[in-house]
Amino acid sequence: ELSQAVVDAGAIPLLVLCIQEPEIALKRIAAATLSDISKHSPELAQTVVDAGAIAHLAQLILNPDAKLKRQVLSALCQIGKHSVDLAVLVVEAEIFPVVLTCLKDSDEYVKKNGATLIREIAKHSPELSALIVNAGGVAAMIDCIGSCRGSVRLPGIMMLGYVAAHSENLAMAVIVSKGIPLLCACLLEEHEDHMKAAAAWALEQVGKHTAEHARAVALANVLPMLLAMYMDTSSSADLQLKASIAKKALKGILQKCTHLPALEPLLHDAPPNIMKYVIQQFSKVLPHDSKARRLFVTSGGLKKVQEIKAEPGSLLQEYINAINNCFPEEIVR
């Protein structure tokens, strides 16, 4: 309501004039004000757009003043976050590839706000994500995440997740740009639960599409990391959320993963509610792969399966039966 009162008083065209004034301090505060008005609703953001603000803001992305860049990126982000249409208007101001330079900026907040702007555009649609990928946005974001630590990484991690979530091809773009090792590094290096949870969620978005995607994630040794995260009982109030995201990520990747060597360690460590997904994958692959069957016996996998206590008639028991049926009875005994 307060922002609407500012709009109704006719302030927006004047604020757009203020962005064009030569004085840097005035540009900064005008951009910040437009950001604060735009953030509340699509309607308020639209009034800022209708006053022609986007073009003037977009021109300031390359301004050398870091504090001004922070505010400009924030304003464009607050406009673009509401809807596909508003995001498209921001993109049409030709902010790509210019905005990618902000991801290399020496100012942490310029980096963070630049990454947040790109994340908010990527989340809306596969088309907008594809545009970002084609502009080199995924590779630039991966470099950015690699160059910093802590919460500055968060919008970049989320952006990779949103891009990967849209389609198989976009997820493959994240894999090809070497996004998986970096997301793994975030799982290992970051100590805050919400950061670990974001990395786990992003890895799930990359790995959930096909067996090929899941294999790429599994080969990076992600599954044991997610399992450890799910089993971790030592963390803070975010624990429930982190554990549930880790579980969902494990489940999403496991259900597509047919690369058995990566699943093998989980046979020994997974609790029953995760075990059923692991056993399910073995029961899908083993009947059709004689080499995998031999390995399964020699590695102790088959022995491990015999030790699992499953409820009679449960899905887990069905999967175990399917695995046992692949082998001669004397081997199973």
Side-chain angles (χ1 to χ4, degrees):
E1 295 84 72
L2 294 170
S3 283
Q4 193 60 54
V6 171
V7 172
D8 295 343
I12 290 190
L14 304 174
L15 287 165
V16 174
L17 286 173
C18 291
I19 312 178
Q20 300 165 66
E21 290 283 341
E23 196 184 326
I24 287 287
L26 187 56
K27 284 184 189 292
R28 284 181 197 157
I29 199 68
T33 308
L34 289 170
S35 176
D36 284 336
I37 292 169
S38 304
K39 72 183 180 190
H40 299 291
S41 72
E43 294 72 29
L44 283 162
Q46 189 65 52
T47 57
V48 171
V49 172
D50 293 342
I54 292 179
H56 296 295
L57 289 166
Q59 283 166 359
L60 295 173
I61 290 175
L62 287 176
N63 191 290
D65 183 78
K67 286 182 179 161
L68 176 57
K69 272 194 286 199
R70 292 176 190 175
Q71 304 297 358
V72 164
L73 293 165
S74 168
L76 290 169
C77 173
Q78 300 298 357
I79 293 168
K81 74 179 184 183
H82 294 290
S83 69
V84 174
D85 295 342
L86 286 164
V88 166
L89 291 174
V90 172
V91 168
E92 283 175 350
E94 298 184 357
I95 62 165
F96 288 100
V98 178
V99 72
L100 301 180
T101 58
C102 298
L103 300 179
K104 291 189 169 64
D105 205 274
S106 55
D107 184 279
E108 296 278 272
Y109 289 100
V110 171
K111 265 188 186 176
K112 192 173 185 177
N113 291 2
T116 308
L117 166 58
I118 297 167
R119 176 193 77 194
E120 291 300 326
I121 290 170
K123 77 177 186 191
H124 288 299
S125 74
E127 293 73 22
L128 284 165
S129 275
L131 184 142
I132 292 169
V133 170
N134 294 336
V138 166
M141 191 65 84
I142 287 168
D143 288 345
C144 172
I145 299 170
S147 71
C148 51
R149 292 283 177 279
S151 64
V152 184
R153 285 175 150 181
L154 189 59
I157 293 170
M158 299 293 287
M159 176 267 192
L160 294 178
Y162 282 130
V163 170
H166 286 305
S167 75
E168 286 178 20
N169 289 348
L170 289 166
M172 200 44 85
V174 175
I175 294 172
V176 171
S177 300
K178 306 206 171 17
I180 293 173
L182 198 71
L183 290 169
C184 291
C186 294
L187 269 187
L188 288 170
E189 293 164 5
E190 294 300 333
H191 301 300
E192 299 214 21
D193 287 339
H194 68 277
M195 296 288 293
K196 286 185 181 294
W201 171 81
L203 284 162
E204 181 202 347
Q205 306 315 309
V206 176
K208 69 180 185 180
H209 294 284
T210 68
E212 193 184 351
H213 292 78
R215 179 190 168 102
V217 174
L219 284 174
N221 204 30
V222 169
L223 297 170
M225 284 191 240
L226 290 174
L227 184 62
M229 188 169 141
Y230 172 57
M231 309 284 281
D232 173 23
T233 52
S234 65
S235 56
S236 64
D238 285 335
L239 173 67
Q240 261 43 55
L241 175 71
K242 186 179 85 167
S244 71
I245 288 176
K247 181 185 176 191
K248 191 171 167 300
L250 265 173
K251 192 174 141 184
I253 297 163
L254 282 171
Q255 286 176 318
K256 289 284 188 269
C257 186
T258 54
H259 183 63
L260 299 186
L263 299 179
E264 195 108 356
L266 300 192
L267 275 178
H268 303 278
D269 306 323
N273 57 344
I274 301 292
M275 187 65 85
K276 73 172 180 224
Y277 299 110
V278 179
I279 298 291
Q280 179 183 20
Q281 293 311 102
F282 279 106
S283 74
K284 284 183 197 166
V285 178
L286 289 170
H288 314 292
D289 188 336
S290 57
K291 188 174 158 209
R293 287 200 293 275
R294 279 199 301 281
L295 273 172
F296 197 58
V297 177
T298 51
S299 68
L302 186 61
K303 176 174 182 286
K304 185 66 198 162
V305 169
Q306 307 315 313
E307 294 164 8
I308 295 169
K309 304 275 181 282
E311 296 284 318
S314 65
L315 270 175
L316 181 56
Q317 188 60 58
E318 279 180 36
Y319 300 145
I320 291 173
N321 294 345
I323 291 173
N324 287 341
N325 291 340
C326 303
F327 296 95
E329 201 181 321
E330 61 273 17
I331 292 185
V332 175
R333 266 212 307 282

mmCIF file of all heavy atoms in Angstrom, residues 126 129-130 133-134 138 160 162-177 205-206 209-210 212-213:
data_model
loop_
_atom_site.group_PDB
_atom_site.id
_atom_site.type_symbol
_atom_site.label_atom_id
_atom_site.label_comp_id
_atom_site.label_asym_id
_atom_site.label_seq_id
_atom_site.Cartn_x
_atom_site.Cartn_y
_atom_site.Cartn_z
ATOM 1 N N PRO A 126 11.812 -22.609 -19.788
ATOM 2 C CA PRO A 126 12.919 -23.237 -20.524
ATOM 3 C C PRO A 126 13.516 -22.292 -21.573
ATOM 4 O O PRO A 126 14.722 -22.288 -21.792
ATOM 5 C CB PRO A 126 12.266 -24.439 -21.212
ATOM 6 C CG PRO A 126 11.019 -24.705 -20.445
ATOM 7 C CD PRO A 126 10.574 -23.401 -19.870
ATOM 8 N N SER A 129 15.788 -19.829 -19.891
ATOM 9 C CA SER A 129 16.996 -20.544 -19.456
ATOM 10 C C SER A 129 17.911 -20.847 -20.644
ATOM 11 O O SER A 129 19.130 -20.720 -20.545
ATOM 12 C CB SER A 129 16.631 -21.844 -18.745
ATOM 13 O OG SER A 129 16.360 -21.597 -17.385
ATOM 14 N N ALA A 130 17.297 -21.250 -21.765
ATOM 15 C CA ALA A 130 18.089 -21.564 -22.956
ATOM 16 C C ALA A 130 18.828 -20.322 -23.451
ATOM 17 O O ALA A 130 19.999 -20.387 -23.872
ATOM 18 C CB ALA A 130 17.183 -22.117 -24.058
ATOM 19 N N VAL A 133 21.804 -19.906 -21.269
ATOM 20 C CA VAL A 133 22.823 -20.904 -21.614
ATOM 21 C C VAL A 133 23.558 -20.482 -22.887
ATOM 22 O O VAL A 133 24.793 -20.517 -22.959
ATOM 23 C CB VAL A 133 22.177 -22.304 -21.815
ATOM 24 C CG1 VAL A 133 23.186 -23.290 -22.409
ATOM 25 C CG2 VAL A 133 21.649 -22.843 -20.489
ATOM 26 N N ASN A 134 22.800 -20.050 -23.881
ATOM 27 C CA ASN A 134 23.401 -19.669 -25.170
ATOM 28 C C ASN A 134 24.289 -18.440 -25.060
ATOM 29 O O ASN A 134 25.206 -18.249 -25.857
ATOM 30 C CB ASN A 134 22.311 -19.448 -26.229
ATOM 31 C CG ASN A 134 21.583 -20.744 -26.547
ATOM 32 O OD1 ASN A 134 22.127 -21.824 -26.349
ATOM 33 N ND2 ASN A 134 20.349 -20.648 -27.009
ATOM 34 N N VAL A 138 25.737 -20.246 -18.077
ATOM 35 C CA VAL A 138 25.985 -21.358 -17.147
ATOM 36 C C VAL A 138 27.474 -21.443 -16.807
ATOM 37 O O VAL A 138 27.863 -21.541 -15.642
ATOM 38 C CB VAL A 138 25.458 -22.695 -17.718
ATOM 39 C CG1 VAL A 138 26.011 -23.881 -16.939
ATOM 40 C CG2 VAL A 138 23.938 -22.707 -17.658
ATOM 41 N N LEU A 160 21.624 -22.762 -11.237
ATOM 42 C CA LEU A 160 21.973 -24.007 -11.944
ATOM 43 C C LEU A 160 20.855 -25.039 -11.785
ATOM 44 O O LEU A 160 20.516 -25.751 -12.728
ATOM 45 C CB LEU A 160 23.297 -24.575 -11.413
ATOM 46 C CG LEU A 160 24.554 -23.743 -11.678
ATOM 47 C CD1 LEU A 160 25.784 -24.411 -11.059
ATOM 48 C CD2 LEU A 160 24.783 -23.514 -13.168
ATOM 49 N N TYR A 162 17.598 -24.397 -11.256
ATOM 50 C CA TYR A 162 16.431 -23.989 -12.061
ATOM 51 C C TYR A 162 16.649 -24.296 -13.536
ATOM 52 O O TYR A 162 15.754 -24.792 -14.227
ATOM 53 C CB TYR A 162 16.153 -22.491 -11.910
ATOM 54 C CG TYR A 162 15.445 -22.115 -10.630
ATOM 55 C CD1 TYR A 162 15.925 -21.090 -9.819
ATOM 56 C CD2 TYR A 162 14.269 -22.764 -10.235
ATOM 57 C CE1 TYR A 162 15.266 -20.736 -8.639
ATOM 58 C CE2 TYR A 162 13.608 -22.416 -9.069
ATOM 59 C CZ TYR A 162 14.109 -21.397 -8.273
ATOM 60 O OH TYR A 162 13.464 -21.053 -7.127
ATOM 61 N N VAL A 163 17.849 -23.993 -14.048
ATOM 62 C CA VAL A 163 18.144 -24.255 -15.463
ATOM 63 C C VAL A 163 18.009 -25.749 -15.735
ATOM 64 O O VAL A 163 17.330 -26.180 -16.670
ATOM 65 C CB VAL A 163 19.564 -23.763 -15.840
ATOM 66 C CG1 VAL A 163 19.959 -24.263 -17.227
ATOM 67 C CG2 VAL A 163 19.622 -22.233 -15.805
ATOM 68 N N ALA A 164 18.645 -26.565 -14.875
ATOM 69 C CA ALA A 164 18.649 -28.016 -15.078
ATOM 70 C C ALA A 164 17.250 -28.611 -14.959
ATOM 71 O O ALA A 164 16.917 -29.591 -15.626
ATOM 72 C CB ALA A 164 19.590 -28.686 -14.074
ATOM 73 N N ALA A 165 16.414 -28.013 -14.110
ATOM 74 C CA ALA A 165 15.075 -28.572 -13.873
ATOM 75 C C ALA A 165 14.197 -28.515 -15.124
ATOM 76 O O ALA A 165 13.327 -29.367 -15.316
ATOM 77 C CB ALA A 165 14.395 -27.820 -12.731
ATOM 78 N N HIS A 166 14.431 -27.534 -16.002
ATOM 79 C CA HIS A 166 13.502 -27.309 -17.121
ATOM 80 C C HIS A 166 13.485 -28.434 -18.149
ATOM 81 O O HIS A 166 12.436 -28.777 -18.665
ATOM 82 C CB HIS A 166 13.830 -25.996 -17.840
ATOM 83 C CG HIS A 166 13.427 -24.767 -17.089
ATOM 84 N ND1 HIS A 166 12.142 -24.545 -16.643
ATOM 85 C CD2 HIS A 166 14.146 -23.681 -16.699
ATOM 86 C CE1 HIS A 166 12.093 -23.366 -16.015
ATOM 87 N NE2 HIS A 166 13.286 -22.834 -16.032
ATOM 88 N N SER A 167 14.662 -28.984 -18.500
ATOM 89 C CA SER A 167 14.664 -30.011 -19.548
ATOM 90 C C SER A 167 15.953 -30.825 -19.532
ATOM 91 O O SER A 167 16.956 -30.411 -18.951
ATOM 92 C CB SER A 167 14.514 -29.361 -20.935
ATOM 93 O OG SER A 167 15.743 -28.749 -21.313
ATOM 94 N N GLU A 168 15.906 -31.969 -20.220
ATOM 95 C CA GLU A 168 17.091 -32.839 -20.337
ATOM 96 C C GLU A 168 18.269 -32.088 -20.944
ATOM 97 O O GLU A 168 19.401 -32.194 -20.477
ATOM 98 C CB GLU A 168 16.778 -34.034 -21.241
ATOM 99 C CG GLU A 168 15.887 -35.080 -20.612
ATOM 100 C CD GLU A 168 15.572 -36.215 -21.570
ATOM 101 O OE1 GLU A 168 16.323 -36.405 -22.560
ATOM 102 O OE2 GLU A 168 14.575 -36.922 -21.329
ATOM 103 N N ASN A 169 17.988 -31.320 -22.007
ATOM 104 C CA ASN A 169 19.078 -30.627 -22.713
ATOM 105 C C ASN A 169 19.714 -29.553 -21.832
ATOM 106 O O ASN A 169 20.935 -29.378 -21.834
ATOM 107 C CB ASN A 169 18.564 -29.969 -24.000
ATOM 108 C CG ASN A 169 18.230 -31.017 -25.049
ATOM 109 O OD1 ASN A 169 18.590 -32.181 -24.899
ATOM 110 N ND2 ASN A 169 17.534 -30.614 -26.098
ATOM 111 N N LEU A 170 18.876 -28.838 -21.098
ATOM 112 C CA LEU A 170 19.417 -27.783 -20.238
ATOM 113 C C LEU A 170 20.212 -28.391 -19.085
ATOM 114 O O LEU A 170 21.252 -27.867 -18.686
ATOM 115 C CB LEU A 170 18.282 -26.880 -19.728
ATOM 116 C CG LEU A 170 17.677 -25.972 -20.809
ATOM 117 C CD1 LEU A 170 16.356 -25.374 -20.351
ATOM 118 C CD2 LEU A 170 18.639 -24.858 -21.199
ATOM 119 N N ALA A 171 19.726 -29.521 -18.568
ATOM 120 C CA ALA A 171 20.488 -30.214 -17.513
ATOM 121 C C ALA A 171 21.831 -30.687 -18.072
ATOM 122 O O ALA A 171 22.861 -30.619 -17.394
ATOM 123 C CB ALA A 171 19.691 -31.395 -16.967
ATOM 124 N N MET A 172 21.814 -31.140 -19.321
ATOM 125 C CA MET A 172 23.065 -31.591 -19.950
ATOM 126 C C MET A 172 24.039 -30.421 -20.114
ATOM 127 O O MET A 172 25.254 -30.583 -19.982
ATOM 128 C CB MET A 172 22.744 -32.239 -21.314
ATOM 129 C CG MET A 172 23.826 -33.147 -21.854
ATOM 130 S SD MET A 172 24.562 -34.285 -20.645
ATOM 131 C CE MET A 172 23.444 -35.659 -20.659
ATOM 132 N N ALA A 173 23.492 -29.223 -20.367
ATOM 133 C CA ALA A 173 24.361 -28.038 -20.469
ATOM 134 C C ALA A 173 25.100 -27.780 -19.155
ATOM 135 O O ALA A 173 26.266 -27.387 -19.140
ATOM 136 C CB ALA A 173 23.527 -26.809 -20.855
ATOM 137 N N VAL A 174 24.418 -28.034 -18.042
ATOM 138 C CA VAL A 174 25.062 -27.868 -16.726
ATOM 139 C C VAL A 174 26.152 -28.933 -16.542
ATOM 140 O O VAL A 174 27.239 -28.644 -16.031
ATOM 141 C CB VAL A 174 24.015 -27.951 -15.582
ATOM 142 C CG1 VAL A 174 24.697 -27.903 -14.218
ATOM 143 C CG2 VAL A 174 23.009 -26.804 -15.702
ATOM 144 N N ILE A 175 25.871 -30.166 -17.005
ATOM 145 C CA ILE A 175 26.854 -31.250 -16.886
ATOM 146 C C ILE A 175 28.082 -30.947 -17.750
ATOM 147 O O ILE A 175 29.231 -31.045 -17.294
ATOM 148 C CB ILE A 175 26.234 -32.601 -17.308
ATOM 149 C CG1 ILE A 175 25.127 -33.008 -16.317
ATOM 150 C CG2 ILE A 175 27.299 -33.695 -17.392
ATOM 151 C CD1 ILE A 175 24.309 -34.228 -16.734
ATOM 152 N N VAL A 176 27.844 -30.551 -18.997
ATOM 153 C CA VAL A 176 28.939 -30.293 -19.940
ATOM 154 C C VAL A 176 29.820 -29.139 -19.461
ATOM 155 O O VAL A 176 31.039 -29.146 -19.653
ATOM 156 C CB VAL A 176 28.360 -29.989 -21.356
ATOM 157 C CG1 VAL A 176 29.442 -29.509 -22.295
ATOM 158 C CG2 VAL A 176 27.703 -31.242 -21.918
ATOM 159 N N SER A 177 29.205 -28.159 -18.807
ATOM 160 C CA SER A 177 29.987 -27.021 -18.293
ATOM 161 C C SER A 177 30.686 -27.341 -16.973
ATOM 162 O O SER A 177 31.191 -26.460 -16.306
ATOM 163 C CB SER A 177 29.072 -25.811 -18.092
ATOM 164 O OG SER A 177 28.481 -25.433 -19.300
ATOM 165 N N GLN A 205 18.098 -31.842 -9.536
ATOM 166 C CA GLN A 205 17.540 -31.306 -10.795
ATOM 167 C C GLN A 205 18.383 -31.725 -11.996
ATOM 168 O O GLN A 205 17.866 -31.948 -13.085
ATOM 169 C CB GLN A 205 17.431 -29.771 -10.753
ATOM 170 C CG GLN A 205 16.659 -29.190 -9.579
ATOM 171 C CD GLN A 205 15.365 -29.919 -9.292
ATOM 172 O OE1 GLN A 205 14.545 -30.135 -10.173
ATOM 173 N NE2 GLN A 205 15.199 -30.335 -8.045
ATOM 174 N N VAL A 206 19.701 -31.843 -11.782
ATOM 175 C CA VAL A 206 20.585 -32.265 -12.876
ATOM 176 C C VAL A 206 20.417 -33.766 -13.146
ATOM 177 O O VAL A 206 20.369 -34.208 -14.293
ATOM 178 C CB VAL A 206 22.064 -31.970 -12.530
ATOM 179 C CG1 VAL A 206 22.984 -32.499 -13.628
ATOM 180 C CG2 VAL A 206 22.289 -30.463 -12.350
ATOM 181 N N HIS A 209 16.740 -36.634 -14.793
ATOM 182 C CA HIS A 209 16.097 -36.732 -16.112
ATOM 183 C C HIS A 209 16.193 -38.118 -16.749
ATOM 184 O O HIS A 209 15.181 -38.706 -17.124
ATOM 185 C CB HIS A 209 16.680 -35.684 -17.060
ATOM 186 C CG HIS A 209 16.363 -34.274 -16.655
ATOM 187 N ND1 HIS A 209 15.136 -33.696 -16.848
ATOM 188 C CD2 HIS A 209 17.117 -33.344 -16.016
ATOM 189 C CE1 HIS A 209 15.150 -32.463 -16.367
ATOM 190 N NE2 HIS A 209 16.340 -32.226 -15.853
ATOM 191 N N THR A 210 17.426 -38.599 -16.953
ATOM 192 C CA THR A 210 17.624 -39.877 -17.640
ATOM 193 C C THR A 210 18.744 -40.643 -16.943
ATOM 194 O O THR A 210 19.438 -40.096 -16.085
ATOM 195 C CB THR A 210 18.063 -39.679 -19.108
ATOM 196 O OG1 THR A 210 19.401 -39.129 -19.097
ATOM 197 C CG2 THR A 210 17.145 -38.733 -19.864
ATOM 198 N N GLU A 212 21.530 -41.354 -18.187
ATOM 199 C CA GLU A 212 22.796 -40.681 -18.505
ATOM 200 C C GLU A 212 23.059 -39.533 -17.520
ATOM 201 O O GLU A 212 24.177 -39.354 -17.024
ATOM 202 C CB GLU A 212 22.722 -40.150 -19.941
ATOM 203 C CG GLU A 212 24.061 -39.708 -20.487
ATOM 204 C CD GLU A 212 23.950 -39.085 -21.889
ATOM 205 O OE1 GLU A 212 22.856 -39.153 -22.490
ATOM 206 O OE2 GLU A 212 24.956 -38.539 -22.342
ATOM 207 N N HIS A 213 22.019 -38.770 -17.246
ATOM 208 C CA HIS A 213 22.161 -37.665 -16.275
ATOM 209 C C HIS A 213 22.492 -38.205 -14.877
ATOM 210 O O HIS A 213 23.363 -37.690 -14.186
ATOM 211 C CB HIS A 213 20.857 -36.852 -16.194
ATOM 212 C CG HIS A 213 20.534 -36.063 -17.429
ATOM 213 N ND1 HIS A 213 19.994 -36.646 -18.555
ATOM 214 C CD2 HIS A 213 20.654 -34.747 -17.709
ATOM 215 C CE1 HIS A 213 19.800 -35.711 -19.487
ATOM 216 N NE2 HIS A 213 20.204 -34.548 -19.001
#
